[in-house]
Amino acid sequence: MSLRLHVQREFRYPQKPSDKELTHWAKTTISFLAAPNSTQELTIRIVGKAESARLNKAFRDKSSATNVLAFPFCAITPYPIAILGDLLMCAPIIREEAEAQGKQITAHWAHILVHGLLHLLGFDHKTDSETEDMESLETTIMLKLGFPPPYELIGDAV
């Protein structure tokens, strides 16, 4: 499986993952569900709270910034196109969540990328069953990446 990754860093912020890390995490996630010889294309846009809040309001009618927004590619074409879509990742929210949950920042970046990619790949968490399936797959992928399970509580963090 190969990946064409486009990274847009619209928000200058320390503790952002490198393109190499983003590529590794994305390829590992996609490899669980894509054909081995396929080529996939993905854009990741790293933003601040203002852009995240604006797009969250426009597309989800929620008035605050969020950690990740997933925009699946959708088009009617005469042949399949291997464009997964776009992920919008909010650097300040990811940092705040990692601190509040007592998680390592790199592990939380990886988890949010995995979570967003699973949305692009058709997973959701609207029902208990969907949530269970998605969280199980996220945990499997995070362990494969060498990170701890993302849904275990650390200390007194919620």
Side-chain angles (χ1 to χ4, degrees):
M1 196 276 313
S2 68
L3 175 68
R4 290 188 194 116
L5 177 65
H6 310 279
V7 180
Q8 301 171 355
R9 296 178 185 274
E10 298 303 315
F11 188 76
R12 305 291 178 229
Y13 202 78
Q15 298 178 314
K16 286 188 309 260
S18 67
D19 288 3
K20 184 177 179 180
E21 289 172 309
L22 293 169
T23 300
H24 174 64
W25 302 337
K27 283 178 87 167
T28 301
T29 302
I30 295 165
S31 72
F32 273 81
L33 302 159
N37 295 326
S38 67
T39 297
Q40 303 291 326
E41 191 163 345
L42 169 68
T43 298
I44 296 174
R45 183 174 174 87
I46 298 173
V47 302
K49 286 184 179 182
E51 185 171 347
S52 176
R54 182 175 56 78
L55 291 171
N56 202 18
K57 179 67 174 168
F59 290 97
R60 297 178 63 227
D61 200 29
K62 301 203 180 212
S63 59
S64 61
T66 187
N67 55 17
V68 67
L69 291 168
F71 298 97
F73 178 77
C74 182
I76 298 172
T77 63
Y79 52 89
I81 297 177
I83 300 173
L84 293 172
D86 302 335
L87 290 181
L88 184 101
M89 300 180 75
C90 183
I93 295 291
I94 293 170
R95 180 189 52 82
E96 290 169 10
E97 288 175 346
E99 289 175 1
Q101 297 169 20
K103 294 180 177 178
Q104 184 212 34
I105 186 73
T106 304
H108 196 53
W109 270 101
H111 176 227
I112 297 307
L113 182 139
V114 168
H115 183 88
L117 258 176
L118 290 180
H119 279 302
L120 292 181
L121 292 164
F123 288 82
D124 212 332
H125 43 79
K126 292 179 181 173
T127 67
D128 289 345
S129 176
E130 288 176 339
T131 300
E132 196 173 297
D133 290 345
M134 191 168 173
E135 288 181 0
S136 175
L137 186 52
E138 286 174 60
T139 298
T140 299
I141 294 167
M142 290 295 288
L143 291 170
K144 172 106 174 150
L145 289 169
F147 293 112
Y151 293 103
E152 285 185 2
L153 294 178
I154 299 171
D156 295 327
V158 180

